[in-house]
Structures are given as structure tokens and as C-alpha cells.
Amino acid sequence: MDFNKTQSVSKQLRAAMETNDATQIDEAFDGIAKAAAEDAYAQLMQDVEQYNQTHDQAILERRGARDLTSKETAWYNKVADILRSTNPKQVFTEIIGSDDEDDIMDAILPQLRPEIMTLQWVSGKI
């Protein structure tokens, strides 16, 4: 439970115990149960989301796709933004030749070469 919920529920329980009113005590314990259930549900949803991401990544790895690094993702997002801009040529020059681009191209091109060769073979250029 988060600190504010815990503090609120414990104040409610303390006040109920001081009054010795069974109804207030029941309500306080209901509040504790509800807060615990909400926290358990939130944790379960986090676990499910994490499992889904891990499972998706495992499927992609079995298919031979590799996961992009955060640096690569940021670079591809920049390229996508550039392509959506009104003057892509001007904006594209800002990232061409950057260290990020060199690192990313070094990582991606070896994976693309076999596919390019296959496409050239299929189209009769080899």
C-alpha cells in the first residue's frame, strides 16, 4: 500500500477503535481490505504488462528479429519525425553523419545485406 493510503486507513481504524463503535470498526477494516485489494490489482496489472512485453520480445527473438536499443529507437523516431516534416531534406541533414547514425548503421547493415542479396537474386540482378 502506498504511504498516504496506509496513513489514512490507520487513522480511520484508530478513530474507530477509540469510539468502540462496531460499525466504524467494520468500515475501517473494509477500508483496509479495499486498499489491499486495489494494491494487489495494480501490482497484478504491472506484472501482466511486464510479462506481455517479455513474451513479445521472446517471440520476436525466435523469429530472428532483434530488439532495438533505446539509442536506435530514438534515432528511428527522429527519422520518422523528419519524414513527416514540411522540409525533410533540410531537417534530415541534421542527423546525417552523427555518431548515432554511424553506430546504428554499423549494427543494422550487416543484417540487411543478406536480404538485399536475396532481393537482387530474385529480381535477376545477380
Side-chain angles (χ1 to χ4, degrees):
M1 258 187 277
D2 79 23
F3 179 73
N4 291 331
K5 276 186 188 177
T6 304
Q7 198 172 25
S8 171
V9 169
S10 75
K11 281 182 185 178
Q12 184 182 5
L13 182 60
R14 190 175 317 116
M17 295 291 213
E18 287 173 359
T19 63
N20 231 5
D21 182 8
T23 305
Q24 286 183 352
I25 293 172
D26 284 345
E27 288 174 2
F29 278 115
D30 284 344
I32 291 171
K34 183 180 176 185
E38 287 172 354
D39 288 343
Y41 178 76
Q43 182 61 47
L44 175 67
M45 295 312 294
Q46 280 181 330
D47 291 346
V48 166
E49 180 62 29
Q50 183 178 3
Y51 170 78
N52 287 339
Q53 290 174 355
T54 304
H55 186 67
D56 289 348
Q57 184 176 358
I59 290 170
L60 290 173
E61 285 174 3
R62 281 195 304 265
R63 292 180 182 168
R66 72 176 191 79
D67 215 10
L68 294 177
T69 64
S70 57
K71 194 176 187 181
E72 291 168 341
T73 301
W75 189 84
Y76 282 113
N77 286 337
K78 283 182 200 174
V79 170
D81 290 341
I82 287 169
L83 294 174
R84 281 187 228 114
S85 73
T86 56
N87 189 358
K89 281 184 180 180
Q90 177 61 36
V91 183
F92 203 67
T93 58
E94 295 173 12
I95 64 167
I96 296 296
S98 68
D99 290 338
D100 291 346
E101 181 212 6
D102 294 340
D103 294 343
I104 292 166
M105 290 302 140
D106 289 343
I108 301 295
L109 283 179
Q111 295 176 10
L112 294 178
R113 283 193 182 106
E115 293 176 23
I116 292 170
M117 296 297 289
T118 303
L119 290 172
Q120 288 175 341
W121 179 79
V122 168
S123 65
K125 294 182 179 177
I126 292 182

